[in-house]
């Protein structure tokens, strides 16, 4: 596996670091196209209080890699680039990696934001991601569209989404991306969440098919120092686009800036 991960920085270089872990489909380097626009929106709030470092997924990830092995790569970034302890924020699959990191390397996480995530995937989300992995394996251009539709939970938009996503470039490293998806399939840290010492903000959508509210509630109950914010009518993709998302995240990070 790749020993180092590429990062893109936002905000004041003198501000304390916030490691941002991207969700799927993610890229090893700089986010592209709509993903880049979305990333700038998501980090624009936290960038008022922190120097945000958006970390790309591991390039050429070895098939069969575990989420613990992937989290260890991110832990290396925190140690080598930030000197250890930092605020961490993850969305979707990035939230899974962030929780795994906080469980396995609690000394590295000063505060943690888990957005559209939980201690494990829900049953429907697992089925969707398995289908996505299968499409990636065959190089099917429908892969991106099927994943996008599940995250949006908006059937009426299906024709337009499929048309637009087929015109977008495919992942630069489909084998590594599939390995990440398969690692998340086996991800489940619920029984070890008591190891997380940092304050945690969990932000959930009431219509999230990947991490349903019941799993998010369980995750919050098992974390020693967790706060839960729920946007009842939001789908998985709608969580970071909620009008209050940037405010809620920024307020939490500011409150725990010294942790």
């Amino acid at each position: 596996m790749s020993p180092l991960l590429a990062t893109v920085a936002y905000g004041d270089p003198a501000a304390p670091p916030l490691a941002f872990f991207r969700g799927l489909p993610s890229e090893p380097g700089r986010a592209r196209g709509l993903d880049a626009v979305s990333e700038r929106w998501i980090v624009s709030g936290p960038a008022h209080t922190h120097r945000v470092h958006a970390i790309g997924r591991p390039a050429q990830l070895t098939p069969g890699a575990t989420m613990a092995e992937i989290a260890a790569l991110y832990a290396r970034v925190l140690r080598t680039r930030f000197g250890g302890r930092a605020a961490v924020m993850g969305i979707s699959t990035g939230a899974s990696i962030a929780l795994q990191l906080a469980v396995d390397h609690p000394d590295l996480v000063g505060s943690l934001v888990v957005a559209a995530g939980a201690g494990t995937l829900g049953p429907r989300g697992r089925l969707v991601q398995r289908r996505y992995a299968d499409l990636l394996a065959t190089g099917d251009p429908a892969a991106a569209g099927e994943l996008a539709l599940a995250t949006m939970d908006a059937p009426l938009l299906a024709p337009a989404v499929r048309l637009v996503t087929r015109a977008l470039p495919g992942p630069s490293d489909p084998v590594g991306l599939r390995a990440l998806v398969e690692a998340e399939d086996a991800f489940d840290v619920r029984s070890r969440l008591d190891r997380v010492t940092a304050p945690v903000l969990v932000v959930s959508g009431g219509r999230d098919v990947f991490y349903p509210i019941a799993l998010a509630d369980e995750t919050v109950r098992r974390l020693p120092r967790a706060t839960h914010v729920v946007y009842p009518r939001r789908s998985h993709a709608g969580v970071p686009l909620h009008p209050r998302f940037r405010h809620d995240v920024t307020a939490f990070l500011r409150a725990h800036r010294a942790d």
Side-chain angles (χ1 to χ4, degrees):
M1 290 188 290
S2 175
L4 288 177
L5 308 180
T7 64
V8 178
Y10 304 87
D12 182 359
L18 167 66
F20 173 62
F21 301 173
R22 296 172 180 151
L24 296 177
S26 182
E27 283 295 318
R30 185 177 293 274
R32 300 181 298 176
L34 292 175
D35 288 336
V37 175
S38 175
E39 180 166 291
R40 284 193 291 271
W41 164 266
I42 291 168
V43 305
S44 61
H48 284 105
T49 60
H50 289 73
R51 175 70 163 176
V52 182
H53 300 262
I55 304 178
R57 62 179 171 85
Q60 301 177 348
L61 190 64
T62 304
T66 67
M67 194 60 84
E69 292 170 336
I70 294 168
L73 296 178
Y74 286 74
R76 186 179 302 178
V77 173
L78 267 64
R79 288 192 178 95
T80 59
R81 298 191 179 176
F82 311 138
R85 199 172 182 85
V88 175
M89 172 179 170
I91 289 185
S92 187
T93 299
S96 297
I97 298 170
L99 278 170
Q100 184 77 58
L101 173 76
V103 165
D104 292 346
H105 309 275
D107 59 305
L108 295 179
V109 182
S111 58
L112 174 62
V113 177
V114 174
T120 190
L121 270 170
R124 186 176 168 192
R126 186 167 279 109
L127 289 174
V128 170
Q129 291 201 178
R130 286 177 181 174
R131 169 67 173 161
Y132 178 57
D134 290 343
L135 292 172
L136 284 173
T138 62
D140 194 322
E146 296 306 308
L147 182 67
L149 285 171
T151 65
M152 295 167 62
D153 193 24
L156 293 178
L157 296 177
V161 170
R162 289 192 174 103
L163 182 63
V164 170
T165 53
R166 280 182 176 271
L168 297 175
S172 60
D173 176 24
V175 173
L177 179 55
R178 184 185 181 199
L180 176 58
V181 173
E182 291 174 342
E184 190 174 23
D185 186 83
F187 162 77
D188 189 345
V189 293
R190 287 176 293 175
S191 66
R192 302 174 62 215
L193 289 173
D194 61 341
R195 289 176 49 83
V196 179
T197 58
V200 183
L201 174 67
V202 178
V203 188
S204 304
R207 293 173 47 216
D208 191 331
V209 301
F210 289 85
Y211 303 93
I213 200 67
L215 277 177
D217 283 339
E218 179 186 0
T219 299
V220 171
R221 288 195 305 269
R222 289 174 177 265
L223 286 163
R225 303 172 62 192
T227 302
H228 200 189
V229 171
V230 180
Y231 307 140
R233 302 181 63 182
R234 288 287 164 154
S235 65
H236 184 72
V239 169
L241 301 179
H242 191 280
R244 286 197 56 84
F245 178 80
R246 293 185 298 175
H247 171 270
D248 291 338
V249 169
T250 303
F252 170 82
L253 290 170
R254 181 180 290 115
H256 297 284
R257 188 167 170 169
D259 283 302

